[in-house]
Amino acid sequence: MSRPAENIRIRRTRTLLRDALVELIEERGFEKTTVGQICERAMVSRAAFYRNYRDKYHLVEQIFDEARASVQVTVDSSDTRPPLERWVGFLEHIDAYHRMYGALLGRRGSPWFAERMRTSMAEIGIRHLQLPETVRGLVSGVLGAMFVQSITWWLDNDRPATPREIAVRTSALARAIVTEANSWTG
């Protein structure tokens, strides 16, 4: 079998598994979803699942890592766009994959995924914010949680604002938090 056909088969299998995961999270919740149910819904064998993923957590981890890689340019320090434009780009990515993010971040989603996203957002904050060392961890953690909660709210409410509008609003909240933190002494 040729390499391109194999790659197409692997991509198809992964897509089927991811779509099945999203459907099952929406129906049953992440914690109640099993690998067997994912395979059955995707019409993919367990062997095919385990050739690609260790377990359902690894599947979610890969979704997160690939999503983060696909928007890496929006948070990469070599990106010369203003921070607001990078944030708009990230939210446009969330918007494009809203069903998946809604399932993973929603009430029935994966607490592990939400925590991983909060941690990732906090790490970005630490790298890009000019804050006193004494408050950097606290403020970046608060901002990471705020951004993920904002995304969750936006998705739970059927995206009532455009990515740009939600980016502007959350950026204003972030600026207020950073301004307050910078006013703290000692």
Side-chain angles (χ1 to χ4, degrees):
M1 180 177 287
S2 70
R3 172 72 91 183
E6 182 178 356
N7 289 338
I8 290 170
R9 189 177 75 240
I10 290 168
R11 283 195 314 256
R12 181 181 172 278
T13 298
R14 289 179 178 173
T15 298
L16 290 170
L17 290 168
R18 290 163 190 214
D19 290 348
L21 175 68
V22 168
E23 290 173 11
L24 288 164
I25 290 171
E26 291 173 343
E27 291 172 19
R28 303 170 189 211
F30 180 76
E31 295 305 323
K32 292 181 181 176
T33 297
T34 66
V35 169
Q37 292 166 338
I38 295 168
C39 293
E40 183 178 324
R41 178 67 58 96
M43 294 188 286
V44 169
S45 71
R46 278 181 176 264
F49 180 93
Y50 288 115
R51 275 193 298 274
N52 292 281
Y53 309 105
R54 290 184 306 272
D55 53 28
K56 68 181 184 177
Y57 296 95
H58 186 228
L59 169 57
V60 171
E61 182 178 7
Q62 291 299 306
I63 290 170
F64 178 76
D65 289 345
E66 289 174 18
R68 194 169 62 175
S70 74
V71 296
Q72 189 62 39
V73 71
T74 69
V75 295
D76 190 308
S77 60
S78 66
D79 189 342
T80 59
R81 292 178 299 165
L84 177 63
E85 293 308 312
R86 288 183 276 172
W87 182 228
V88 170
F90 183 75
L91 288 168
E92 286 171 342
H93 166 81
I94 298 290
D95 191 38
Y97 296 96
H98 64 90
R99 188 165 174 233
M100 179 188 70
Y101 282 102
L104 289 169
L105 291 171
R107 289 180 297 276
R108 304 185 87 185
S110 167
W112 176 88
F113 179 81
E115 180 58 30
R116 179 106 189 256
M117 195 165 179
R118 275 190 297 273
T119 300
S120 180
M121 299 298 280
E123 289 169 357
I124 292 167
I126 286 173
R127 285 196 310 263
H128 295 286
L129 293 175
Q130 302 300 319
L131 293 166
E133 186 68 36
T134 57
V135 298
R136 188 173 298 154
L138 170 63
V139 173
S140 64
V142 167
L143 289 174
M146 183 205 67
F147 285 132
V148 172
Q149 183 57 39
S150 297
I151 291 167
T152 303
W153 173 86
W154 185 53
L155 295 170
D156 283 350
N157 287 281
D158 200 25
R159 302 178 331 273
T162 66
R164 178 165 298 282
E165 290 167 337
I166 200 73
V168 167
R169 292 172 187 170
T170 55
S171 292
L173 290 171
R175 274 191 308 279
I177 291 168
V178 170
T179 298
E180 174 61 25
N182 279 323
S183 74
W184 298 341
T185 57

